[in-house]
Amino acid sequence: MSALAGKVALVTGGSRGIGRGIALELGKRGAKVVVNYHASAEAANEVVSVIKQAGGEALAVQADVTRLEAAQSLIKATLDFGGRLDILVNNAGTTRDMLLAMMSESDWDVVIATNLKSAYNCSKAALKPMMRQKVGRIVNIASVSGLAGNGGQTNYSASKAGLIGFTKSLAKEVGGRNITVNAVAPGFVPTDLTASLSKNMLDEAIKMTPLGRLGTVEDVAYAVAFFASDEAAYITGQVLSVDGGLVMQ
Ligand code: NAP
């Protein structure tokens, strides 16, 4: 039997990039997957098709996870689809890179809302069904930027460092309910999010990475699938870097 058979997973921002890879991996392992998206309906439906073609079950659900009511509707749609919610992956994210001196207030606000407030919105709504079930897994997608900092990314680094603090605090709050909360901190992974980075910058990143390459969405998805598994039942409040050794804590 597949490791995640019978489990229901929700991946925010599952339409593209890392979220897409996570949705496919959880689907491959037998979970029913809700693929959340904001604007990319076609991409989300494609992810659903791939999961279904492989014999799995999946549903695409539109929701802007920066909005609490939208996150609540998203959790409700997940429960209507799967009857429960075992795995929440807070993956939706964005960047608005700029030196702080020139960063607009809206570039600050949108990054904090998308990367951090979304985790409050979705986790808060997910806790009720998880507490009722007496089991749950929350996996937050942080970043090495939240651990080590990165010039030009004060908004992004603050959101990801905040997400790490959120992970640890919530893990302490809900451990007694048999709900684990962990974070994965990827290094550089080629996706639409990193498409604007220059080749020079990526070459530099590879040079600084002991394993000598960029990450793949699968590298990240395997770590998420582990945190989501029964085998990770005694692990909570942890941050796992998936970055080829770029940032060693
Ligand atoms: P991406 O390719 O740009 O995909 C972003 C995803 O987030 C899309 O599915 C997008 O949905 C969704 N999204 C954005 N705003 C949303 C909102 N308000 N409501 C719902 N969904 C929203 O980015 P990625 O590289 O895969 O990044 C995924 C996560 O990994 C992010 O949290 C990012 O910070 C983190 N991360 C990435 C890297 C990297 O190198 N790529 C490194 C470290 C951490 P639509 O398709 O509908 O727009």
Side-chain angles (χ1 to χ4, degrees), residues 118-202:
S118 61
Y120 160 82
N121 291 340
C122 294
S123 305
K124 186 173 158 71
L127 280 183
K128 236 189 213 166
M130 286 183 175
M131 283 179 177
R132 210 168 35 233
Q133 294 161 194
K134 299 186 169 52
V135 64
R137 298 272 189 277
I138 297 176
V139 186
N140 298 320
I141 307 303
S143 165
V144 289
S145 280
L147 293 168
N150 198 15
Q153 288 199 316
T154 51
N155 49 359
Y156 186 75
S157 301
S159 72
K160 296 299 186 178
L163 192 56
I164 289 169
F166 174 87
T167 299
K168 294 176 180 176
S169 295
L170 186 59
K172 289 185 179 182
E173 282 185 23
V174 298
R177 306 298 193 119
N178 198 27
I179 298 167
T180 68
V181 190
N182 291 290
V184 173
F188 290 93
V189 179
T191 64
D192 294 342
L193 196 76
T194 51
S196 62
L197 299 179
S198 67
K199 182 174 177 315
N200 256 2
M201 201 172 162
L202 293 176

Side-chain angles (χ1 to χ4, degrees), residues 12-20 22 36-41 43-44 62-67 74 90-95 113-115 118 141-145 156 159-160 163 184-194 197 217 220:
T12 70
S15 48
R16 293 186 283 121
I18 290 173
R20 178 181 189 278
I22 294 168
N36 159 249
Y37 66 97
H38 184 205
S40 310
Q62 195 283 335
D64 175 357
V65 292
T66 65
R67 295 180 42 240
L74 174 61
N90 287 312
N91 163 82
T94 195
T95 51
T114 309
N115 300 358
S118 61
I141 307 303
S143 165
V144 289
S145 280
Y156 186 75
S159 72
K160 296 299 186 178
L163 192 56
V184 173
F188 290 93
V189 179
T191 64
D192 294 342
L193 196 76
T194 51
L197 299 179
V217 297
V220 180

Side-chain angles (χ1 to χ4, degrees), residues 95-110:
T95 51
R96 296 287 189 280
D97 294 355
M98 183 58 66
L99 297 174
L100 184 69
M102 291 178 292
M103 185 182 289
S104 68
E105 187 180 4
S106 71
D107 282 352
W108 175 270
D109 288 343
V110 75

